[in-house]
Amino acid sequence: MRNDITRRDALALGLSAATFAATGAAAQTSTIKAADVPTPKREIEKGATLRMLRPVRFVQADEDVFRANAAKFTKETGVEVKVDFVGWEDINQQTAVTSNSGAGPDIIIGFSDAPHIYIDKLVELTDVADYLGKRYGGWLPLAQRYGKKNKSDAWIGLPFGATAGPLIYRKSILQSVGFDKVPEDHAGILDLCQKLHKAGKPAGFALGNAKGDGNGFANWALWSHNASLLDEEGNVIINSKETIAALNWVKQIYPTFIAGTTSWNDVSNNRAYSSQEISLTANGVSLYFSLKNDPATKAIADDSEHQLLPKGLAKVSPMAGLTLNAMLFKHSQYPNAAKAFLQFMLEKDQYEPWLNANSGYWSQPLAAYAEAAVWKGDPKVSIFKDTMNSTYYDGYKGPISTATGAVSADYVLIQMCSAVATGAATPEAAAAEAEQRCKRYFRRQR
Amino acid sequence: MSVTTLSSSALAHRQPSWLVRLFDYKPFLIVMCLAPAIGLLTVFLTYPLGLGIWLAFTDTTIGRRGVYVGLENFQYLLTDPLWWNAVFYSVVYTGIATFGKFALGFWLALLLNNHFPFKSLLRAIILLPWIVPTVLSALAFWWIYDPQFSIISYLLVDVLHWRSSNIDFLGSPWPARFSLIAANIWRGIPFVAISLLAGLQTISPSLYEAAMLDGASAWQRFRYITFPMMMPILAIVMTFSIIFTFTDFQLVYAITRGGPGNSTHLLATLAFQRGIAGGELGEGAAIAVSMIPFLVFATLFSYFGLARRKWQQGEDND
């Protein structure tokens, strides 16, 4: 089996010039080590065809390389693979319909906790995961957390990568108010934000119903105060003294933000930062790249730095990653072909070019891919390399379940913070209300 | 010319086919004529409504078949401050928006009922907010209300220098609530205006001529001719408007998604949030079902309060 992809192959497969620039060189200078592990024995079903659904690409090269890899699989195995790209907001609904109806795509790449929601409808992928783990230096903690069934070594999802939302700030503006970087402690962050506000270039963190950024801020506020939604056993402990402390801090810091953050959605901070209205926020690498690739805003990118979310009271930066998580449905007529396809896509010859093509937007779930070329280029991107080393996740620090996803999708924690920030509720009242809502979601999860 | 006639006995023996006789059978014919309509209603109305009501009595979640739980969902909602908040805002939203739409829509209809140049063109333009897809107008309002890039803030701060800072339309509960109501009024005015204009044009000019001969003022003509004559159409339009407004979803979901602090959730958006995004299908269905009594009440109020006013039917009609 021929597994390498050369420059000529890439061109033949129709990759764009941009994709090629991002991936071609890297593929030829790979330093990624792959252990010699026996490939799981499975026979691909005769006449197999596959249909796959995955979230729409963020950078064009993501789609180009992904499609090229799928075409390569078809060429080598004869299995036709149809890949559909759908909007991020639509993936959950389409997965729900597929799951409930028992018809539709064989494979869906959903987000983070999706396999835990549809666990009864999924084929175990333990053999694929074990093989890949042994071959590529092991699965990183976040990949294990989202890929494995709770309290078990059975894999129900196969993580493809994760994206994170660390801090991004204007170096020159922070320096102008006496800071080289964002402090790691809450008092220091508050002090910085007050000074930025005074200087007319405030911070801004989403407190509106923003799936990514809003939940990111709310989780960070809680986790950095050692508060969490659940304990290890899955009991709802959101109404705790740690949460009250976090909410009090949110109440203090909110007035230093630019006005309107309680109505921000996922693109609001990008716009505010790009237009130089704010000097500090949290976002994925996309913001940096959009600034860097536009001559009109390149100067802002040059003046920007990334930093892991401050630790506060936590031991490590409390930052979870939004994970791409592949699911194979039991209704698939060709489970062996599907497993072979997923395995193929995560093999070095396919995965590394894809990882590089994403320019840091997705980071690897397997340890060996930390050596990919994408992490050796722009130092401002390398911070994203360890996204899947995080021990934090939606539902931290309890077991992942349908309810952990529901709390995030229903913006329960964001609204708790927002209610306190705007003075609509006291920290105690907001925490109690969030507890009531969370207990409702978790009433059948234990 | 010879004429051939059938004997009376032959006529008597010639029976129509069973199919003809079947279709001549009145009860069968009624059933056949009604069957398509009943079928459509069953498939597209009764089944979804029935399923929704059934789900409201179960604990179904996305990805998990539920079991019957009786009134548990409704009992929970009664203890849920967010549901009460959604009920409150749904009523406020519907009340204020409907009043605004009718006041402005009626006024606009009266203006459009006059003769003026380019009348048809202007009437077509008035319809634009109604024609534009709701999500598109919601996105436009989302930009208008943006805390950093609002055109209104730009005018007031950068052009007119009347304010020193941008307006935070959606950042706190009441401004956000009124911002959404304003968007709904803007969107709903054309429907009211055009519907009422159609009604205005059915009023006979002779009534106004007679009133003018009797020396009635403009207000009296409006009070004693226009308004009473418009009552039936007002009642129908208001009933529809209340239903549309109370069940509004797109404007709110696209602009605030129920925020800030869940203050702008309508029952429809809360039902979606809980049922689809949150995955609690049973609870979401219960929230949707909880809208029915409000809608029935609003419809009955509108119907009995406006359409069946006694004075419309004559003083002696008891």
Side-chain angles (χ1 to χ4, degrees), chain A residues 96 100 209 258-260 262-265 271 275 406 409-411 415 418 422 433 436-437 440-441 443-444, chain B residues 59 62-64 72-73 76 79 82 142-143 146-149 168 170-171 257 261-262 273-274 277-278 280 283:
Chain A
N100 281 354
N209 289 347
I258 193 168
T262 47
S263 64
W264 273 12
N265 65 13
R271 291 203 313 249
S275 63
D410 200 8
Y411 311 117
Q415 295 302 330
S418 170
T422 56
E433 193 173 305
Q436 181 191 358
R437 190 64 213 147
R440 175 78 177 164
Y441 277 125
R443 68 194 184 282
R444 290 187 201 86
Chain B
D59 62 354
I62 285 180
R64 175 182 162 277
E72 194 268 344
N73 285 323
Y76 171 76
T79 67
L82 292 186
W142 180 52
W143 272 105
D146 189 282
Q148 274 78 52
F149 307 101
D168 187 9
L170 305 175
R257 296 199 174 196
N262 289 313
Q273 186 64 33
R274 294 275 171 84
E280 291 276 350
E283 190 180 314

Side-chain angles (χ1 to χ4, degrees), chain B residues 87-122:
Chain B
V87 169
F88 167 72
Y89 184 54
S90 295
V91 172
V92 169
Y93 184 80
T94 307
I96 299 177
T98 303
F99 178 79
K101 278 186 275 195
F102 268 79
L104 295 170
F106 203 177
W107 174 63
L108 196 58
L110 290 168
L111 288 179
L112 291 173
N113 197 35
N114 293 319
H115 293 289
F116 50 85
F118 308 112
K119 192 168 61 178
S120 300
L121 179 69
L122 275 170

